[in-house]
Amino acid sequence: MRSNLLKLAAAGAVALSLAAGGVVAQAQLTKNPAEVRAGAYKLDSSHGKITWSVSHLGFSTYTGQFVNVSAELNLDPANPSAGTLTATIPLTDVAPNDDALKGHLQTPDFFDTANHPTATFRSTAITVDSDDPTEAEVAGELTLKGVTRPVTLEVKFNQAGPFMNGYRVGFDGETTIKRSEFGIDYGVQMGLSDEVELHIEGEFVPKA
């Protein structure tokens, strides 16, 4: 009987230990950007993409994605304005859910990927919202089809903390650009939207 009681007590201790460990791990997640680990990060490309949407002649909102995006982020929670973000978007990895459109997007009518296979973004300034420190404006330069223009991203910090034996930081962002400003004006006069809404999703992990 005593042996059985000891076994039950040991099992209970293990269960409590595991439960406590789970609580600790959960408690380490934070939605406070001031608690994020400082350092250099890279985008987990399997959890990072850019979704774009345009008005299709007023009939519908057409949506597609860019995948296999690469990005690097430097964070300093003590001085957020000192952070930097760079990203490279492979334009051949566009996913519009239509093979014919995907092929057309590679031509000079749109991206001209034979001459400009990637788009790039480089931040120039980061301004944190004084009322909500989880939100920030990330001003930078977007280069698309050989044209560089200023673009500002509205960025939302989601959370940071341990995950799958590692550490990661998650953000969402959005902006709107006019594609004609980058020399992509195909179909604009026919009513195909000039404005392109971009939604960015990214989970970053520490650089090795």
PDB file of all heavy atoms in Angstrom, residues 39-43 71-74 167 204-208:
ATOM      1  N   GLY A  39      18.006  42.241 -30.583  1.00  0.00           N
ATOM      2  CA  GLY A  39      18.912  41.447 -31.397  1.00  0.00           C
ATOM      3  C   GLY A  39      18.554  41.449 -32.861  1.00  0.00           C
ATOM      4  O   GLY A  39      17.680  42.194 -33.323  1.00  0.00           O
ATOM      5  N   ALA A  40      19.264  40.602 -33.611  1.00  0.00           N
ATOM      6  CA  ALA A  40      19.073  40.479 -35.059  1.00  0.00           C
ATOM      7  C   ALA A  40      18.191  39.270 -35.335  1.00  0.00           C
ATOM      8  O   ALA A  40      18.420  38.182 -34.798  1.00  0.00           O
ATOM      9  CB  ALA A  40      20.422  40.320 -35.752  1.00  0.00           C
ATOM     10  N   TYR A  41      17.192  39.473 -36.187  1.00  0.00           N
ATOM     11  CA  TYR A  41      16.228  38.430 -36.518  1.00  0.00           C
ATOM     12  C   TYR A  41      16.149  38.242 -38.028  1.00  0.00           C
ATOM     13  O   TYR A  41      16.482  39.141 -38.803  1.00  0.00           O
ATOM     14  CB  TYR A  41      14.835  38.810 -36.000  1.00  0.00           C
ATOM     15  CG  TYR A  41      14.683  38.821 -34.505  1.00  0.00           C
ATOM     16  CD1 TYR A  41      15.098  39.914 -33.749  1.00  0.00           C
ATOM     17  CD2 TYR A  41      14.108  37.743 -33.840  1.00  0.00           C
ATOM     18  CE1 TYR A  41      14.949  39.931 -32.376  1.00  0.00           C
ATOM     19  CE2 TYR A  41      13.952  37.757 -32.461  1.00  0.00           C
ATOM     20  CZ  TYR A  41      14.373  38.855 -31.734  1.00  0.00           C
ATOM     21  OH  TYR A  41      14.232  38.864 -30.368  1.00  0.00           O
ATOM     22  N   LYS A  42      15.659  37.071 -38.412  1.00  0.00           N
ATOM     23  CA  LYS A  42      15.359  36.808 -39.815  1.00  0.00           C
ATOM     24  C   LYS A  42      13.938  36.275 -39.915  1.00  0.00           C
ATOM     25  O   LYS A  42      13.407  35.670 -38.968  1.00  0.00           O
ATOM     26  CB  LYS A  42      16.340  35.796 -40.408  1.00  0.00           C
ATOM     27  CG  LYS A  42      16.267  34.420 -39.790  1.00  0.00           C
ATOM     28  CD  LYS A  42      17.258  33.457 -40.444  1.00  0.00           C
ATOM     29  CE  LYS A  42      17.150  32.055 -39.816  1.00  0.00           C
ATOM     30  NZ  LYS A  42      18.100  31.095 -40.451  1.00  0.00           N
ATOM     31  N   LEU A  43      13.310  36.490 -41.051  1.00  0.00           N
ATOM     32  CA  LEU A  43      11.941  36.041 -41.255  1.00  0.00           C
ATOM     33  C   LEU A  43      11.878  34.530 -41.395  1.00  0.00           C
ATOM     34  O   LEU A  43      12.680  33.925 -42.112  1.00  0.00           O
ATOM     35  CB  LEU A  43      11.371  36.699 -42.510  1.00  0.00           C
ATOM     36  CG  LEU A  43       9.919  36.351 -42.864  1.00  0.00           C
ATOM     37  CD1 LEU A  43       8.962  36.927 -41.832  1.00  0.00           C
ATOM     38  CD2 LEU A  43       9.571  36.871 -44.257  1.00  0.00           C
ATOM     39  N   ALA A  71      13.566  38.363 -45.174  1.00  0.00           N
ATOM     40  CA  ALA A  71      13.659  39.660 -44.503  1.00  0.00           C
ATOM     41  C   ALA A  71      14.557  39.546 -43.289  1.00  0.00           C
ATOM     42  O   ALA A  71      14.698  38.470 -42.691  1.00  0.00           O
ATOM     43  CB  ALA A  71      12.276  40.155 -44.090  1.00  0.00           C
ATOM     44  N   GLU A  72      15.156  40.663 -42.928  1.00  0.00           N
ATOM     45  CA  GLU A  72      15.990  40.747 -41.730  1.00  0.00           C
ATOM     46  C   GLU A  72      15.538  41.938 -40.910  1.00  0.00           C
ATOM     47  O   GLU A  72      15.210  43.000 -41.447  1.00  0.00           O
ATOM     48  CB  GLU A  72      17.473  40.870 -42.102  1.00  0.00           C
ATOM     49  CG  GLU A  72      18.022  39.629 -42.788  1.00  0.00           C
ATOM     50  CD  GLU A  72      19.527  39.679 -42.968  1.00  0.00           C
ATOM     51  OE1 GLU A  72      20.138  40.723 -42.628  1.00  0.00           O
ATOM     52  OE2 GLU A  72      20.104  38.680 -43.428  1.00  0.00           O
ATOM     53  N   LEU A  73      15.515  41.739 -39.593  1.00  0.00           N
ATOM     54  CA  LEU A  73      15.010  42.750 -38.671  1.00  0.00           C
ATOM     55  C   LEU A  73      15.974  42.901 -37.511  1.00  0.00           C
ATOM     56  O   LEU A  73      16.414  41.900 -36.926  1.00  0.00           O
ATOM     57  CB  LEU A  73      13.632  42.313 -38.161  1.00  0.00           C
ATOM     58  CG  LEU A  73      12.952  43.155 -37.092  1.00  0.00           C
ATOM     59  CD1 LEU A  73      12.575  44.525 -37.647  1.00  0.00           C
ATOM     60  CD2 LEU A  73      11.713  42.440 -36.562  1.00  0.00           C
ATOM     61  N   ASN A  74      16.318  44.122 -37.196  1.00  0.00           N
ATOM     62  CA  ASN A  74      17.127  44.417 -36.010  1.00  0.00           C
ATOM     63  C   ASN A  74      16.257  45.166 -35.016  1.00  0.00           C
ATOM     64  O   ASN A  74      15.693  46.223 -35.341  1.00  0.00           O
ATOM     65  CB  ASN A  74      18.358  45.252 -36.372  1.00  0.00           C
ATOM     66  CG  ASN A  74      19.406  44.434 -37.100  1.00  0.00           C
ATOM     67  OD1 ASN A  74      20.027  43.549 -36.520  1.00  0.00           O
ATOM     68  ND2 ASN A  74      19.609  44.707 -38.375  1.00  0.00           N
ATOM     69  N   TYR A 167      12.616  30.980 -30.152  1.00  0.00           N
ATOM     70  CA  TYR A 167      12.031  32.265 -29.773  1.00  0.00           C
ATOM     71  C   TYR A 167      11.598  32.949 -31.050  1.00  0.00           C
ATOM     72  O   TYR A 167      12.295  32.878 -32.069  1.00  0.00           O
ATOM     73  CB  TYR A 167      13.065  33.116 -29.025  1.00  0.00           C
ATOM     74  CG  TYR A 167      12.536  34.420 -28.476  1.00  0.00           C
ATOM     75  CD1 TYR A 167      11.946  34.468 -27.212  1.00  0.00           C
ATOM     76  CD2 TYR A 167      12.633  35.598 -29.210  1.00  0.00           C
ATOM     77  CE1 TYR A 167      11.462  35.665 -26.697  1.00  0.00           C
ATOM     78  CE2 TYR A 167      12.146  36.795 -28.700  1.00  0.00           C
ATOM     79  CZ  TYR A 167      11.561  36.833 -27.438  1.00  0.00           C
ATOM     80  OH  TYR A 167      11.078  38.010 -26.942  1.00  0.00           O
ATOM     81  N   PHE A 204       9.351  36.355 -36.968  1.00  0.00           N
ATOM     82  CA  PHE A 204      10.809  36.441 -37.044  1.00  0.00           C
ATOM     83  C   PHE A 204      11.450  35.602 -35.941  1.00  0.00           C
ATOM     84  O   PHE A 204      10.954  35.532 -34.824  1.00  0.00           O
ATOM     85  CB  PHE A 204      11.255  37.900 -36.906  1.00  0.00           C
ATOM     86  CG  PHE A 204      10.935  38.761 -38.085  1.00  0.00           C
ATOM     87  CD1 PHE A 204       9.652  39.293 -38.252  1.00  0.00           C
ATOM     88  CD2 PHE A 204      11.893  39.039 -39.041  1.00  0.00           C
ATOM     89  CE1 PHE A 204       9.345  40.079 -39.350  1.00  0.00           C
ATOM     90  CE2 PHE A 204      11.602  39.839 -40.139  1.00  0.00           C
ATOM     91  CZ  PHE A 204      10.329  40.362 -40.295  1.00  0.00           C
ATOM     92  N   VAL A 205      12.577  34.993 -36.288  1.00  0.00           N
ATOM     93  CA  VAL A 205      13.345  34.181 -35.350  1.00  0.00           C
ATOM     94  C   VAL A 205      14.770  34.730 -35.280  1.00  0.00           C
ATOM     95  O   VAL A 205      15.244  35.364 -36.245  1.00  0.00           O
ATOM     96  CB  VAL A 205      13.364  32.700 -35.779  1.00  0.00           C
ATOM     97  CG1 VAL A 205      11.963  32.127 -35.761  1.00  0.00           C
ATOM     98  CG2 VAL A 205      13.985  32.527 -37.159  1.00  0.00           C
ATOM     99  N   PRO A 206      15.476  34.513 -34.178  1.00  0.00           N
ATOM    100  CA  PRO A 206      16.845  35.029 -34.065  1.00  0.00           C
ATOM    101  C   PRO A 206      17.747  34.482 -35.170  1.00  0.00           C
ATOM    102  O   PRO A 206      17.659  33.317 -35.537  1.00  0.00           O
ATOM    103  CB  PRO A 206      17.306  34.537 -32.690  1.00  0.00           C
ATOM    104  CG  PRO A 206      16.039  34.363 -31.924  1.00  0.00           C
ATOM    105  CD  PRO A 206      15.033  33.875 -32.926  1.00  0.00           C
ATOM    106  N   LYS A 207      18.603  35.345 -35.683  1.00  0.00           N
ATOM    107  CA  LYS A 207      19.597  34.896 -36.654  1.00  0.00           C
ATOM    108  C   LYS A 207      20.622  34.015 -35.963  1.00  0.00           C
ATOM    109  O   LYS A 207      21.015  34.270 -34.829  1.00  0.00           O
ATOM    110  CB  LYS A 207      20.293  36.095 -37.311  1.00  0.00           C
ATOM    111  CG  LYS A 207      19.386  36.919 -38.226  1.00  0.00           C
ATOM    112  CD  LYS A 207      20.141  38.086 -38.842  1.00  0.00           C
ATOM    113  CE  LYS A 207      21.189  37.600 -39.825  1.00  0.00           C
ATOM    114  NZ  LYS A 207      21.879  38.726 -40.511  1.00  0.00           N
ATOM    115  N   ALA A 208      21.039  32.987 -36.674  1.00  0.00           N
ATOM    116  CA  ALA A 208      22.023  32.070 -36.092  1.00  0.00           C
ATOM    117  C   ALA A 208      23.357  32.759 -35.929  1.00  0.00           C
ATOM    118  O   ALA A 208      23.741  33.598 -36.734  1.00  0.00           O
ATOM    119  CB  ALA A 208      22.160  30.864 -37.004  1.00  0.00           C
TER     120      ALA A 208
END
